[in-house]
């Protein structure tokens, strides 16, 4: 095999979303409280045994998180740490959350602003060496490299047409069309509705809100 073919194969691998040698705490979203039926809402994937940052309150603040898996492989604990604790050495145990594989929970708010509070439920699983990132709809993915080609540290996704109620009457809808992510925001008036749509996809960009973590973020479908 000549050098040009080897280079081409390596380039194809680097440009794919394939990930190897990692485990993820995966939260698949459902509309119903028994996590059956329609897949809908906000879902998450958090890499296990890695310290990483997640923005909250619209990105104004950051906490670090680390997911640990017990020996049975059936119980995962999500621990929270201060923004400056980039090695996740001293957890705030008051915020520890345990998730059991195969059980259904109210969706957490990881990565969501206060205005985008999920109302769906999530089914817990552990993904071992996933072959690819599944496509649900809009996705915001955090990476530890400037090319966004390493194993994702964390990603949040919204299934197509996920809606968030904002200020009681207004709402935001997220969806993908032709591999482009969009958000449509609608304001309610007296007998009227005013909506506008913005593209939500973005290239791999330094997340300057995470000063201590040196992370990059990419928004896509």
């Amino acid at each position: 095999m000549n050098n040009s073919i080897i280079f081409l194969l390596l380039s194809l691998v680097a440009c794919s979303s394939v990930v190897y040698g990692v485990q993820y705490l995966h939260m698949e979203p459902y509309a119903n409280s028994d996590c059956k039926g329609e897949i809908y809402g906000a879902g998450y994937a958090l890499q296990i045994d890695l310290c990483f940052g997640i923005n909250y309150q619209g990105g104004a603040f950051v906490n670090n998180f680390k997911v640990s898996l017990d020996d049975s492989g059936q119980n995962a604990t999500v621990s929270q740490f201060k923004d400056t604790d980039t090695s996740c050495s001293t957890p705030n145990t008051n915020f520890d959350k345990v998730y059991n594989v195969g059980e259904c929970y109210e969706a957490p708010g990881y990565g969501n602003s206060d205005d985008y509070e999920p109302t769906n439920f999530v089914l817990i699983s552990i993904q071992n060496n996933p072959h690819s990132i599944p496509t649900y709809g809009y996705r915001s993915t955090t990476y530890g490299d400037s090319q966004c080609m390493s194993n994702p540290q964390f990603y949040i996704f919204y299934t197509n047409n996920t809606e968030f109620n904002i200020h009681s009457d207004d709402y935001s809808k997220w969806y993908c069309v032709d591999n482009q992510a969009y958000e449509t925001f609608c304001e309610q008036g007296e007998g009227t509705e005013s909506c506008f749509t913005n593209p939500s996809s973005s290239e791999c960009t330094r997340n300057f809100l995470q000063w201590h973590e040196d992370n990059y973020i990419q928004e896509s479908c």
Side-chain angles (χ1 to χ4, degrees), residues 109-159:
Y110 302 133
N112 284 74
S113 69
D114 292 343
D115 288 336
Y116 293 77
E117 189 70 27
T119 57
N120 58 281
F121 300 84
V122 291
L123 180 64
I124 303 301
S125 65
I126 303 298
Q127 292 190 345
N128 297 297
N129 303 321
H131 294 294
S132 63
I133 297 174
T135 300
Y136 292 92
Y138 166 83
R139 182 175 76 241
S140 176
T141 310
T142 297
Y143 296 89
D145 72 291
S146 61
Q147 301 300 313
C148 292
M149 288 185 176
S150 59
N151 293 332
Q153 298 177 352
F154 162 79
Y155 59 90
I156 178 174
F157 57 89
Y158 304 147
T159 60

Side-chain angles (χ1 to χ4, degrees), residues 6 20 38 69 72 75 94 100 107 120 123 131 135 140 160 162 174 198 207 211 217:
I6 293 174
Y20 298 104
E38 180 187 8
L69 194 62
S72 72
N75 304 290
N94 292 330
N100 299 320
N120 58 281
L123 180 64
H131 294 294
T135 300
S140 176
N160 276 328
T162 292
W174 298 75
N198 289 320
N207 187 347
W211 290 105
I217 191 169

Side-chain angles (χ1 to χ4, degrees), residues 8-82:
L8 176 61
L9 291 174
L10 290 175
S11 298
L12 289 172
V13 170
C15 291
S16 70
S17 60
V18 176
V19 289
Y20 298 104
V22 292
Q23 289 182 304
Y24 288 90
L25 173 63
H26 187 73
M27 303 183 180
E28 187 168 48
Y30 285 84
N32 299 321
S33 59
D34 59 359
C35 288
K36 295 180 180 179
E38 180 187 8
I39 294 177
Y40 172 85
Y44 310 85
L46 301 85
Q47 191 177 149
I48 295 172
D49 290 330
L50 179 73
C51 184
F52 55 88
I54 298 179
N55 297 96
Y56 66 99
Q57 289 188 6
F61 301 94
V62 178
N63 281 319
N64 286 309
F65 290 83
K66 188 173 184 179
V67 182
S68 57
L69 194 62
D70 72 355
D71 292 339
S72 72
Q74 298 299 303
N75 304 290
T77 301
V78 179
S79 299
Q80 179 179 303
F81 304 79
K82 291 182 178 180

